[in-house]
Amino acid sequence: MIALAMADARHLRGESPAELHARLEAERAGHAFLLYRDGHGAQQLFSLTGERVMLSLGRDPASDIALDWDGEVSRLHAQLERVGGEWTIVDDGLSSNGTFVNNKRVMGRRRLRDGDMLLCGATRISFRSSEHSRALEETRRPVGPYAIPDLTPAQQRALTALCRPFKDGSRHAVPATNQQIADELVVSVDAVKTNLRALYDKFQVEDLPQNLKRARLVELAFTTGVVTARDL
């Protein structure tokens, strides 16, 4: 779970609303996938579905998972192999600089678990499995297009302030902190926390991991139309 929280924190830090939506859709699909950023900083999602049980990873553009922007990655760096329904990473001397999972070098084969962070060259890759997707579905009760919660004026102001950093559509935007919201609304941080707790409950995200709540709340605010670009 520590690895999962660290992985989410790194990837959420630079997520745009569109990238956040794409990641959440991948999680809902229930298939294992890889999450990483390319040489331009754009989020990439690689779904581990289909009939193939062996995938190559390397700097060679012909690789199944091509990390051709990373000079520290070998042309054939490692392989992903599905064994008995579980994904493993294999590096038995293929790479020059090594393959690491949660900061430990892979010597041969290693089974991958949800939230594992792979390091190939300078590229960090988060492995997400259906285990994580099932956990989210058990805790997330989606807000439908007509199930827009009633908010108090204070809750609406807090939610809008939470979404404010996304005003210019920057992919580097992250939800506003409690202190930033408090400063904008000229209220105490405790008042902000009270309103956010109520918002988590009304948007039915209170059971999500703490590091996902704020990002999910922002996504729902936009997708339900409770907050629009005009409000920002």
Side-chain angles (χ1 to χ4, degrees), residues 51-182:
E51 298 300 320
R52 297 189 61 181
V53 297
M54 180 75 79
L55 298 168
S56 61
L57 185 155
R59 196 176 73 253
D60 189 333
S63 299
D64 297 305
I65 305 165
L67 310 179
D68 51 357
W69 63 87
D70 190 337
E72 296 182 30
V73 171
S74 299
R75 289 187 64 80
L76 177 57
H77 194 95
Q79 293 176 311
L80 287 166
E81 184 176 5
R82 186 167 55 197
V83 180
E86 300 288 342
W87 281 97
T88 64
I89 186 143
V90 183
D91 186 344
D92 50 6
L94 290 174
S95 66
S96 299
N97 296 323
T99 301
F100 297 80
V101 176
N102 301 332
N103 297 320
K104 293 184 179 180
R105 186 162 185 166
V106 176
M107 306 298 291
R109 180 190 304 275
R110 173 163 174 165
R111 177 187 176 188
L112 294 176
R113 298 180 182 276
D114 178 55
D116 279 347
M117 182 63 70
L118 286 63
L119 178 63
C120 300
T123 303
R124 293 187 176 274
I125 305 172
S126 177
F127 173 77
R128 310 306 292 269
S129 74
S130 56
E131 172 188 345
H132 178 73
S133 302
R134 288 194 299 269
L136 281 181
E137 288 305 320
E138 289 173 359
T139 57
R140 181 192 293 130
R141 297 180 297 280
V143 175
Y146 304 108
I148 300 175
D150 292 325
L151 306 183
T152 67
Q155 291 164 3
Q156 180 70 54
R157 289 192 294 270
L159 183 57
T160 301
L162 180 73
C163 300
R164 188 81 62 194
F166 296 89
K167 178 179 181 179
D168 297 324
S170 171
R171 65 178 178 81
H172 298 295
V174 294
T177 65
N178 290 345
Q179 188 62 61
Q180 289 171 328
I181 297 172

